[in-house]
């Protein structure tokens, strides 16, 4: 047996085992109208004036939400004014300290300003249903940190095809959303577009400071807390949460493609293994099909990939032909994943961040331990609404 064939067989077995977890995955979140506790929603925002309106209107209409805080992170497009005009409490983020990524800095200040027992963080491009917040509070009876997987909005066949192809790389590496058994901490994943936790517990560990220099902040936070004994739930909330992430295929390629590898929270061994799985089971069958030389294993893997495309229908508001075409773009997604792994990007919204601080040591779980002896910044006080 040729080495490439043997490696492909091993990778195929790994993927099939991961996909098989979907038979036992937890049911999706269901709407609950009354949260039963006070809920603060925190939305970090930097130049989101054009997108934050629908999110804020939906959150402000939810009876389960006690307060809505928008943390304006140096916006230059009137984001703060839009948020205030709609009725949100606006907190102005202070100057970004060295060693911090903007989103974590904004979230830390938003949580410090929140008064609710439970905090839900949302990205500005999310569109929550009112029942989402009660559902998240209910899930916190079982978990310490809850992350919600949304339903995606894609404009056009090509955007949906590329998005579904990139999404498939996550499923092939980590399995479906809602695993019945928690993965080991170094393989935990989360979606930072929607997180829920109890405020006192998060401020007690100063969670966002723990991952202050990570570009893939959501997964970094989930893995760090899981290592500290937190139970982390990554649950399907497709019927309660929509996300319109990108405005074009080019933006999707640049922005989501740069974060897909989870490079700054994944050890080198796992990075190599994950890339091998994607190339051998996703890209290689399509490339061989294109040159007219697919093997029997390639055909089987293409069939599995088409089944996954069908299973992903529920992940999109308007599933269409893009889902069926998405396997054809798997070589492109594998290339983007590899490119972003080898040449990581640490630039976002006009800011360029240095590599992880010199005083931090990362292990294969993507954890960071401060060995510099430097003190962490104190939690900021509550900011006045503007």
């Amino acid at each position: 047996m040729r080495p490439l064939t043997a490696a492909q067989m091993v990778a195929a077995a790994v993927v099939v085992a991961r996909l098989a977890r979907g038979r036992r995955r937890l049911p999706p979140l269901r709407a609950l109208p009354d949260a039963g506790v006070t809920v603060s929603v925190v939305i970090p925002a930097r130049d989101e004036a054009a997108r934050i309106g629908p999110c804020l209107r939906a959150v402000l209409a939810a009876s389960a939400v006690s307060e809505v805080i928008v943390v304006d992170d140096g916006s230059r497009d009137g984001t703060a004014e839009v948020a205030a005009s709609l009725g949100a409490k606006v907190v102005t983020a202070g100057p970004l300290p060295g060693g911090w990524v903007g989103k974590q800095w904004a979230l830390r200040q938003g949580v410090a300003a929140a008064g609710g027992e439970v905090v839900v963080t949302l990205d500005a491009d999310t569109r929550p249903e009112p029942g989402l917040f009660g559902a998240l509070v209910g899930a916190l009876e079982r978990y310490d940190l809850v992350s919600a997987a949304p339903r995606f909005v894609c404009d056009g066949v090509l955007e949906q095809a590329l998005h579904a192809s990139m999404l498939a790389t996550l499923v092939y590496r980590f399995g479906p959303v809602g695993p019945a058994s928690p993965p080991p901490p170094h393989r935990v994943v989360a979606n930072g577009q929607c997180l829920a936790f109890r405020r006192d517990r998060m401020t007690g560990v100063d969670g966002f400071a723990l991952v202050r220099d990570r570009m893939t902040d959501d997964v970094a936070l989930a893995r760090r807390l899981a290592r500290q004994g937190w139970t982390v739930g990554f649950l399907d909330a497709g019927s309660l949460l929509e996300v319109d992430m990108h405005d074009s295929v080019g933006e999707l390629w640049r922005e989501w493609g740069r974060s897909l590898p989870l490079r700054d929270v994944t050890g080198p061994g796992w990075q190599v293994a994950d890339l091998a799985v994607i190339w051998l089971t996703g890209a290689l069958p399509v490339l061989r099909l294109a040159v007219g030389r697919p093997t029997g294993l390639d055909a089987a893997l293409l069939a599995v990939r088409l089944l996954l495309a069908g299973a992903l229908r529920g992940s999109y508001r308007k599933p269409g032909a893009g889902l069926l075409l998405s396997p054809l773009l798997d070589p492109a997604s594998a290339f983007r994943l590899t490119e972003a792994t080898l040449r990581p990007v640490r630039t976002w919204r006009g800011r360029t961040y240095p590599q992880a601080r010199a005083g931090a040591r990362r292990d294969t779980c993507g954890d960071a331990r401060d060995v510099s002896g430097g003190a962490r910044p104190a939690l900021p006080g509550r900011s006045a609404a503007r």
Side-chain angles (χ1 to χ4, degrees):
M1 182 182 299
R2 294 180 178 178
L4 182 60
T5 301
Q8 189 181 34
M9 291 178 66
V10 172
V14 169
V15 166
V16 170
R18 288 171 179 168
L19 294 178
R21 299 174 196 164
R23 295 178 299 177
R24 298 181 292 109
R25 69 185 190 133
L26 299 173
L29 288 175
R30 299 300 181 191
L32 293 175
D34 185 6
V37 300
T38 54
V39 176
S40 298
V41 174
V42 174
I43 304 171
R46 179 173 171 83
D47 294 336
E48 297 284 7
R51 295 200 290 184
I52 200 170
C55 176
L56 281 177
R57 293 186 188 95
V59 176
L60 289 164
S63 59
V65 174
S66 306
E67 64 176 348
V68 182
I69 299 172
V70 172
V71 185
D72 181 37
D73 183 22
S75 298
R76 298 154 294 182
D77 65 349
T79 294
E81 290 76 9
V82 171
S85 70
L86 291 173
K89 175 182 177 180
V90 177
V91 171
T92 301
L96 185 66
W100 280 79
V101 171
K103 184 176 182 181
Q104 288 91 291
W105 178 238
L107 285 171
R108 190 179 191 235
Q109 293 176 88
V111 172
E117 299 168 70
V118 167
V119 173
V120 176
T121 69
L122 291 174
D123 281 1
D125 55 8
T126 58
R127 309 289 183 265
E129 293 292 329
L132 171 69
F133 304 100
L136 291 172
V137 170
L140 285 173
E141 296 178 4
R142 176 176 179 180
Y143 300 100
D144 301 309
L145 176 70
V146 175
S147 173
R151 184 170 52 190
F152 297 100
V153 177
C154 292
D155 300 321
V157 172
L158 182 56
E159 183 178 331
Q160 186 174 84
L162 180 60
H163 190 282
S165 177
M166 289 183 167
L167 183 60
T169 70
L170 288 171
V171 179
Y172 271 27
R173 286 180 285 160
F174 302 105
V177 170
S181 301
H186 68 283
R187 297 299 283 177
V188 167
V189 289
N191 173 34
Q193 294 164 329
C194 178
L195 297 173
F197 46 83
R198 297 194 178 275
R199 179 178 57 84
D200 288 347
R201 188 154 191 210
M202 184 62 75
T203 56
V205 299
D206 202 0
F208 293 106
L210 296 177
V211 296
R212 57 187 177 269
D213 58 357
R214 298 291 180 257
M215 295 298 290
T216 44
D217 56 283
D218 45 7
V219 178
L221 179 67
R223 292 183 179 181
R224 183 64 183 263
L225 295 179
R227 285 176 57 80
Q228 294 188 4
W230 287 44
T231 54
V232 178
F234 185 28
L235 307 176
D236 181 2
S239 64
L240 301 174
L241 182 67
E242 287 188 354
V243 174
D244 189 355
M245 294 174 60
H246 303 106
D247 296 328
S248 67
V249 173
E251 186 182 0
L252 172 62
W253 177 264
R254 291 190 309 272
E255 299 301 328
W256 203 27
R258 68 178 173 83
S259 62
L260 275 178
L262 313 182
R263 186 182 186 276
D264 61 349
V265 294
T266 305
W270 276 107
Q271 291 178 38
V272 172
D274 286 341
L275 285 174
V277 164
I278 297 305
W279 277 104
L280 291 169
T281 64
L284 184 58
V286 177
L287 293 173
R288 282 178 170 162
L289 179 66
V291 298
R293 299 182 62 182
T295 66
L297 181 55
D298 291 330
L301 286 168
L302 288 168
V304 169
R305 181 62 179 83
L306 285 171
L307 289 173
L308 176 59
L312 290 177
R313 287 181 58 83
S315 298
Y316 295 90
R317 184 176 69 180
K318 295 180 179 179
L323 284 173
L324 292 176
L325 295 173
S326 65
L328 300 179
L329 296 183
D330 286 354
S333 294
F335 171 81
R336 184 68 180 108
L337 195 67
T338 305
E339 179 187 38
T341 299
L342 298 176
R343 300 174 59 188
V345 177
R346 293 183 66 85
T347 300
W348 189 79
R349 293 284 171 90
R351 285 176 175 158
T352 298
Y353 301 102
Q355 293 297 320
R357 61 193 183 278
R361 173 170 57 86
R362 286 193 303 276
D363 61 16
T364 55
C365 297
D367 197 2
R369 296 186 179 94
D370 195 344
V371 296
S372 65
R376 294 185 304 185
L379 272 172
R382 289 175 181 257
S383 302
R386 260 188 13 168

